[in-house]
Amino acid sequence: MAFDFSHLMTLALREAEKGLEKGEVPVGAVLSNASGEILAKAHNLSVSRHDPTAHAEILALRKAGERSQNYRLNGATLVVTLEPCLMCMGAALHARISRLVFGASDPKAGAAGSLYNVAQDERLNHRIEVFPGILEESCSELIRKFFQTRRREQKNARRGTEVVVTGSTRNRLVPLEAGHVGSNPTLSAKPFNKIDRL
């Protein structure tokens, strides 16, 4: 049987963009039942909710379970922009979804073939059919741009907070405090206080 998951992945990408607008890692998920009806859509909310379990997949599974009034989602298809982690794959296995569709692989944390292959682990009592690489370039680009922007912002935030001290200190970085003059922390503009000398 041939499947076209592009439409569902496009919806998942829209969810990922919603997460991006909130400052979340841009991952989106869509869950549909066996007849193709959309049961749930979600995006990452771990940062906003201060919840390490608030991944797009987990949130979509929760919504679909509530809507179906059943934690078992037999025949369902989970479509996600980034390969799920171990936590999300565990939840998908417990929900008994039939198919997992993802866009970008995650070589550092992916549990559907990249780092681990939980979906096809014969020691478990359920298997999930996996369809990787759907709209892969669009999914990868969204993640790539997010982390490039984040690294640039972090680099800019650090700029101006350290100075290089030369001479006998062997070119080490020293935190820059308010009042330092140029690159010489000994030329402090702090007012002299006799108590400091005691």
Side-chain angles (χ1 to χ4, degrees):
M1 178 183 235
F3 296 101
D4 180 13
F5 299 113
S6 299
H7 172 67
L8 293 173
M9 187 60 78
T10 300
L11 295 176
L13 277 163
R14 286 185 195 149
E15 283 296 315
E17 289 167 356
K18 289 178 187 177
L20 180 64
E21 291 169 7
K22 296 176 183 175
E24 300 281 348
V25 176
V27 177
V30 173
L31 203 119
S32 68
N33 64 16
S35 62
E37 176 190 2
I38 294 174
L39 298 174
K41 295 185 277 187
H43 52 274
N44 276 3
L45 288 172
S46 295
V47 175
S48 304
R49 292 187 178 178
H50 312 288
D51 179 358
T53 69
H55 289 195
E57 303 95 318
I58 299 291
L59 298 174
L61 288 166
R62 286 178 183 161
K63 288 178 185 178
E66 288 175 20
R67 182 172 175 186
S68 303
Q69 291 296 292
N70 193 342
Y71 75 104
R72 296 285 196 223
L73 301 168
N74 295 314
T77 300
L78 176 61
V79 179
V80 62
T81 57
L82 181 66
E83 181 181 1
C85 68
L86 274 170
M87 174 183 68
C88 295
M89 282 304 302
L93 283 163
H94 283 290
R96 302 292 192 265
I97 67 162
S98 295
R99 284 172 296 284
L100 168 69
V101 178
F102 68 86
S105 295
D106 186 352
K108 293 184 178 181
S114 291
L115 187 59
Y116 303 103
N117 192 1
V118 178
Q120 296 299 314
D121 192 326
E122 293 180 3
R123 296 169 295 178
L124 301 173
N125 64 350
H126 181 68
R127 310 285 177 287
I128 299 173
E129 191 175 8
V130 178
F131 297 85
I134 306 300
L135 300 184
E136 182 176 14
E137 188 52 42
S138 298
C139 295
S140 296
E141 186 63 19
L142 189 60
I143 291 283
R144 190 170 27 254
K145 283 183 179 178
F146 170 78
F147 283 108
Q148 284 174 347
T149 301
R150 190 168 172 183
R151 281 190 292 273
R152 187 171 43 252
E153 288 170 355
Q154 288 173 345
K155 184 178 178 181
N156 289 339
R158 285 192 306 264
R159 186 172 289 147
T161 61
E162 297 177 326
V163 295
V164 176
V165 179
T166 58
S168 63
T169 57
R170 298 182 184 240
N171 297 330
R172 63 183 171 90
L173 289 175
V174 176
L176 180 64
E177 296 178 21
H180 284 185
V181 179
S183 63
N184 190 345
T186 60
L187 299 176
S188 176
K190 294 179 189 175
F192 179 77
N193 187 344
K194 290 183 182 181
I195 296 174
D196 288 344
R197 298 182 77 197
L198 296 176

